[in-house]
Amino acid sequence: MRVNYSAAHCGVLDFRSNRSAAQFTVCCRIMSDNDPVEKTESQLKALSDVLETGAMQHARRMLNELSPAEIADLLESTPYSERNLLWDLVNHEKEGEVLLEVGDEVRATLIRDMALEDLVNATEGMAVDDLADFIQSLPDTVTGEVLTSLDTQRRKRLEAVLSYPEDSAGGLMNTDTITVRSEVTLEVVLRYLQGLEELPNNTDNLIVTTGDNRYIGVLPLTTLLTSDPHSYVADVMSRDIEAIPAITEDDSVARIFEDNDLLSTPVVDEQMRLLGRITIDDVVDVIREEGDHSVMSMAGLTEDEDLFAPVLPSSRRRALWLGLNLITAFMASWVVSNFEGTLEKVVAIAVLMNIVASMGGIAGTQTLTLVTRGLALGQVSRQNRKWLISKELIVGLFNGVIWALVVGGIAFLWFKEANIGMVIAAAMIINLVVAAFSGAVIPLILRKLGIDPAIAGSVVVTTVTDIVGLFVFLGLATVFLL
C-alpha cells in the first residue's frame, strides 16, 4: 500500500505536533519516492520552518538524515544568502560526499569559506576518480596539502588519473581494481576474494591480466559463482569486452557503454597495460553533463550555472551573450533601414516582414539541433555529409512551398492584393531553403574550426536567417510592389 502526504502535511506533522525528525524524513520519503522535485520542495519547506523557530539541533538532525545527493539537491535549491547556513549544519563526515554531488559553481562557493583542515578531511575516503575531479576545483595551495596528506600508493594512483584530460577515459577511470591471472583455478580466486575486506563499488567483473599487467579479458562474478571451482580462469573468462584506451573522449565512452550495455569496463594504455576501470556511475554523470551542456549552451551558459548565484556574477556571465545578440539585431536592423522607402509606401510590408524572418529562424534551429546532436553522437561523418545537406535542402524546400501557400493565401485575404501574397510566398520559400542549408552546414564549419556548435550555432544560424529573410522579402517587395 502506498501512503500519500502532501508537502504541507509533512510540515504540519513535524512542526505542529511532536513528531521526531526521523518520522518526518520517513514521511517525506514515503510521499515522494517517485517525485524528486516534490521531495526537495517538501524538505526545503520543512527546514525553512524549523530554522525560523531557531531549533538548530533539530534542523541539523533532519538534514543529516538525508543522503549526500539529497543534501546536495537542497543546497542547489537554496538561495545563495541562505546556503551557507545549511552548509554549516552538515556533519563533517558527510561534507566530502556532498561536495562531490553539487555542481562545480556551487562547490566553489562552499569551499571558498572552508578551513584548510576541513577541506583535507573532506577528501578522506573519496574514490580516486572522485578525488581527481574534486581536487581540480581546489585552490593550488589546498591541492598541495591534499596531495601531502595521501599515502604513497594513493598519491601515485591519483597522479595517474590526473595525467589524463578530465573529459577522457583516463580522467574518468578509477584505479581501484581486482585482477586475476588466467592460469589459476576459480577455487583460488574465490579464496583470494574471501580474504579481502570488501570489493570495490560496482564490481561485476574481475579483470584478467598477464604477468606484466596486460589486459586479456574479464571474469564475470556470475561465472565465477556458477562454474566448477576446479576450472581454470582461462577456460571460463570472457574475451568479448574490449578495453577502452585511456585517451578516448568521455562522450565516446558513454556511447560504448550504451551500445554494449556495460556496467564497467577496463581502461588501458597504448601497450594494453591495465590502468583502471570505468563504472556505470561515472558514465551516468557524463550523460547528465552532456545533456545539461546541450541545453545551457544554447543560451550561452555553462552546465554548472548556479541558479541561485548572486546577482552580479549572474549578470556578468549573461552580459556577453546578450551583447553578441545585440550585434546581430543591429545587423538585421541595418538591412531593414536600407528599405525605408518601401516600408513607407507599402504599409503591409511592415506588418508581414517579421513572419519570414521568424519562420526561417525556427526552421534553421530545427536543422541545427538535429545536426549538432548527430555530431555529438558520431552519426555525421565525411561519407554522409553531402546526403544530409541534400536531404535538409529538400525538406526546407518542401516546407517552404507548404507554408508559402498558407502565408501567401492569408496575406492575399488580409490585404486583398495578390502581389503581396506572391512576394511573401517567394520570400518564405527562399528563406526556409537558406535556413535548412545554414542549419546543416554551419555546425559542420564550427566543428572544423574547433568551436562547439551547441554554443555558437544558434546565434550564427539565427543571424543568417534574419538577415536573408528580411533582405529577400524587402528586396522582392521593392522590385514588385513599387
Side-chain angles (χ1 to χ4, degrees):
M1 180 179 70
R2 180 177 175 83
V3 182
N4 291 294
Y5 294 97
S6 68
H9 188 49
C10 281
V12 170
L13 284 175
D14 188 57
F15 301 114
R16 296 186 183 177
S17 67
N18 294 320
R19 300 219 178 196
S20 66
Q23 288 172 303
F24 162 82
T25 305
V26 170
C27 164
C28 287
R29 285 179 178 167
I30 292 173
M31 173 201 70
S32 305
D33 284 343
N34 298 317
D35 192 345
V37 174
E38 186 179 356
K39 186 175 187 177
T40 299
E41 288 179 354
S42 66
Q43 291 165 344
L44 275 175
K45 167 69 166 57
L47 280 170
S48 297
D49 288 347
V50 76
L51 287 172
E52 286 179 5
T53 68
M56 303 303 291
Q57 291 304 317
H58 192 180
R60 184 185 299 275
R61 288 197 305 272
M62 289 171 53
L63 186 63
N64 287 285
E65 284 174 356
L66 305 178
S67 69
E70 290 172 329
I71 296 174
D73 286 340
L74 288 180
L75 290 170
E76 292 182 329
S77 304
T78 303
Y80 177 78
S81 58
E82 302 172 13
R83 185 176 294 153
N84 285 339
L85 177 60
L86 280 185
W87 179 239
D88 289 339
L89 298 177
V90 178
N91 291 342
H92 291 309
E93 59 268 22
K94 274 194 170 185
E95 288 180 345
E97 295 177 275
V98 175
L99 287 172
L100 289 174
E101 296 288 347
V102 297
D104 289 349
E105 189 170 334
V106 174
R107 183 189 303 149
T109 63
L110 295 175
I111 67 176
R112 189 166 53 215
D113 299 322
M114 289 180 67
L116 177 59
E117 181 181 358
D118 291 337
L119 281 172
V120 173
N121 291 337
T123 63
E124 293 182 2
M126 283 187 184
V128 172
D129 55 339
D130 291 332
L131 181 56
D133 293 336
F134 179 69
I135 203 171
Q136 294 180 66
S137 64
L138 299 177
D140 292 338
T141 53
V142 179
T143 300
E145 291 289 337
V146 172
L147 290 174
T148 303
S149 69
L150 301 176
D151 58 60
T152 302
Q153 183 182 21
R154 189 167 165 80
R155 188 184 306 119
K156 287 182 178 179
R157 290 181 174 182
L158 177 61
E159 290 171 350
V161 176
L162 290 175
S163 65
Y164 293 97
E166 185 179 0
D167 57 352
S168 68
L172 288 174
M173 71 179 180
N174 191 338
T175 56
D176 192 5
T177 62
I178 296 180
T179 60
V180 296
R181 301 286 182 263
S182 61
E183 63 271 15
V184 302
T185 65
L186 300 186
E187 184 178 11
V188 172
V189 175
L190 285 168
R191 286 203 306 268
Y192 169 66
L193 294 181
Q194 290 167 359
L196 299 177
E197 293 183 1
E198 60 180 354
L199 297 182
N201 291 335
N202 300 309
T203 297
D204 60 324
N205 299 313
L206 307 182
I207 302 176
V208 185
T209 60
T210 62
D212 57 353
N213 200 39
R214 295 181 189 275
Y215 171 74
I216 55 176
V218 298
L219 175 61
L221 290 182
T222 53
T223 301
L224 173 63
L225 296 173
T226 58
S227 301
D228 182 357
H230 298 99
S231 301
Y232 285 93
V233 171
D235 297 331
V236 298
M237 62 180 282
S238 172
R239 302 176 188 268
D240 296 335
I241 296 181
E242 296 185 5
I244 297 178
I247 59 174
T248 306
E249 294 184 354
D250 58 0
D251 55 348
S252 297
V253 172
R255 284 200 298 275
I256 292 171
F257 268 72
E258 179 186 8
D259 293 342
N260 297 282
D261 295 327
L262 300 176
L263 295 178
S264 69
T265 193
V267 179
V268 296
D269 63 11
E270 294 83 353
Q271 286 76 42
M272 289 297 292
R273 285 192 295 265
L274 180 68
L275 298 174
R277 67 188 181 114
I278 296 174
T279 53
I280 188 64
D281 58 320
D282 300 311
V283 176
V284 169
D285 290 339
V286 171
I287 295 171
R288 177 178 177 180
E289 288 170 3
E290 286 292 321
D292 289 345
H293 173 75
S294 299
V295 173
M296 300 293 282
S297 59
M298 289 186 178
L301 303 173
T302 67
E303 58 268 32
D304 294 310
E305 182 82 13
D306 181 4
L307 180 62
F308 294 100
V311 172
L312 289 180
S314 297
S315 302
R316 185 167 58 248
R317 280 189 294 268
R318 301 179 199 185
L320 177 62
W321 201 250
L322 291 172
L324 184 60
N325 278 274
L326 181 62
I327 293 173
T328 64
F330 273 119
M331 293 171 64
S333 297
W334 175 79
V335 171
V336 174
S337 69
N338 287 282
F339 296 94
E340 290 181 2
T342 302
L343 293 171
E344 290 175 356
K345 294 180 181 179
V346 185
V347 177
I349 300 303
V351 175
L352 298 173
M353 68 178 183
N354 286 329
I355 296 176
V356 178
S358 176
M359 291 290 287
I362 295 297
T365 300
Q366 288 176 335
T367 305
L368 170 72
T369 301
L370 290 172
V371 175
T372 300
R373 178 178 179 273
L375 287 170
L377 296 176
Q379 297 172 342
V380 180
S381 63
R382 190 181 299 275
Q383 288 71 32
N384 59 25
R385 287 177 185 174
K386 288 184 179 179
W387 187 93
L388 177 62
I389 294 172
S390 300
K391 174 248 185 180
E392 290 302 324
L393 283 173
I394 295 173
V395 170
L397 178 61
F398 185 74
N399 279 329
V401 170
I402 292 176
W403 292 107
L405 294 173
V406 173
V407 174
I410 293 174
F412 170 71
L413 295 174
W414 191 349
F415 296 101
K416 309 301 182 185
E417 290 189 34
N419 286 345
I420 292 179
M422 289 188 291
V423 165
I424 194 170
M428 185 74 71
I429 293 173
I430 294 171
N431 200 30
L432 262 64
V433 171
V434 170
F437 180 77
S438 60
V441 171
I442 285 173
L444 298 176
I445 295 174
L446 292 175
R447 173 62 68 89
K448 192 169 185 179
L449 294 175
I451 302 172
D452 188 350
I455 295 177
S458 60
V459 173
V460 178
V461 169
T462 302
T463 301
V464 170
T465 55
D466 283 353
I467 291 176
V468 171
L470 292 170
F471 180 81
V472 169
F473 182 47
L474 294 175
L476 290 175
T478 302
V479 172
F480 292 103
L481 299 182
L482 295 184

